[in-house]
Amino acid sequence: MKFSCELNGIHYVITTEPGHRTDAKYHFMLSSTDKKRLESGEVQYFHVNINATCEEMKLNFSLQGLPLAIEAEEQVEDIEDFFENLCIFSKIEHMFDLVEREEKYPHWGVSDAKLSTDD
């Protein structure tokens, strides 16, 4: 499945493809009803590819082993819930902010950090 959306000036193209359970443990986020749906086959594991574009910069992300509904409309709702629960959109916005930084030092560096000249 493929769909797109726009949020805070970032255009997202999100695609899903059948996948497999990973050790990411996303299934722990499921309600008991959703766990039953997973056992019955209404929900399966998918890989989600996210292509995010802001102005002319593009970033690609991949999430593996997400338990999502098989039906397209329900799958979109599952993805929306998953993204909101883990703040995926805000994390992607933060990645664009990091890429656009003009500083020479990493965001976790202290103010008196110096670039190494030992090359």
Short mmCIF file of all heavy atoms in Angstrom, two decimals, residues 101 105-110:
data_model
loop_
_atom_site.label_atom_id
_atom_site.label_comp_id
_atom_site.label_asym_id
_atom_site.label_seq_id
_atom_site.Cartn_x
_atom_site.Cartn_y
_atom_site.Cartn_z
N ARG A 101 21.55 22.18 10.37
CA ARG A 101 22.38 22.93 11.32
C ARG A 101 23.63 23.45 10.63
O ARG A 101 24.22 22.77 9.80
CB ARG A 101 22.82 22.05 12.47
CG ARG A 101 21.70 21.62 13.36
CD ARG A 101 22.30 20.87 14.48
NE ARG A 101 22.43 21.84 15.56
CZ ARG A 101 22.08 21.60 16.80
NH1 ARG A 101 21.66 20.43 17.13
NH2 ARG A 101 22.18 22.52 17.72
N TYR A 105 29.88 21.43 15.32
CA TYR A 105 29.95 20.48 16.41
C TYR A 105 28.64 19.69 16.49
O TYR A 105 27.58 20.19 16.14
CB TYR A 105 30.20 21.20 17.74
CG TYR A 105 31.40 22.10 17.67
CD1 TYR A 105 31.27 23.47 17.67
CD2 TYR A 105 32.68 21.55 17.57
CE1 TYR A 105 32.37 24.30 17.58
CE2 TYR A 105 33.80 22.37 17.48
CZ TYR A 105 33.64 23.74 17.49
OH TYR A 105 34.73 24.54 17.39
N PRO A 106 28.70 18.48 16.95
CA PRO A 106 27.47 17.69 17.10
C PRO A 106 26.55 18.33 18.14
O PRO A 106 27.02 19.04 19.04
CB PRO A 106 27.97 16.33 17.57
CG PRO A 106 29.35 16.55 18.08
CD PRO A 106 29.89 17.76 17.38
N HIS A 107 25.26 18.09 18.01
CA HIS A 107 24.29 18.71 18.91
C HIS A 107 24.50 18.30 20.36
O HIS A 107 24.08 18.98 21.27
CB HIS A 107 22.86 18.39 18.47
CG HIS A 107 22.51 16.95 18.57
ND1 HIS A 107 22.92 16.03 17.64
CD2 HIS A 107 21.81 16.27 19.50
CE1 HIS A 107 22.48 14.84 17.99
NE2 HIS A 107 21.81 14.96 19.09
N TRP A 108 25.19 17.21 20.60
CA TRP A 108 25.43 16.75 21.96
C TRP A 108 26.78 17.24 22.50
O TRP A 108 27.13 16.99 23.63
CB TRP A 108 25.39 15.22 22.04
CG TRP A 108 26.10 14.54 20.91
CD1 TRP A 108 25.52 14.04 19.78
CD2 TRP A 108 27.50 14.32 20.77
NE1 TRP A 108 26.47 13.52 18.94
CE2 TRP A 108 27.70 13.67 19.53
CE3 TRP A 108 28.62 14.59 21.55
CZ2 TRP A 108 28.96 13.31 19.08
CZ3 TRP A 108 29.86 14.22 21.09
CH2 TRP A 108 30.03 13.58 19.86
N GLY A 109 27.55 17.97 21.68
CA GLY A 109 28.86 18.45 22.09
C GLY A 109 28.76 19.60 23.09
O GLY A 109 27.76 20.32 23.13
N VAL A 110 29.79 19.78 23.87
CA VAL A 110 29.80 20.90 24.82
C VAL A 110 30.29 22.15 24.10
O VAL A 110 30.92 22.09 23.05
CB VAL A 110 30.68 20.58 26.04
CG1 VAL A 110 30.07 19.46 26.85
CG2 VAL A 110 32.08 20.20 25.64
#
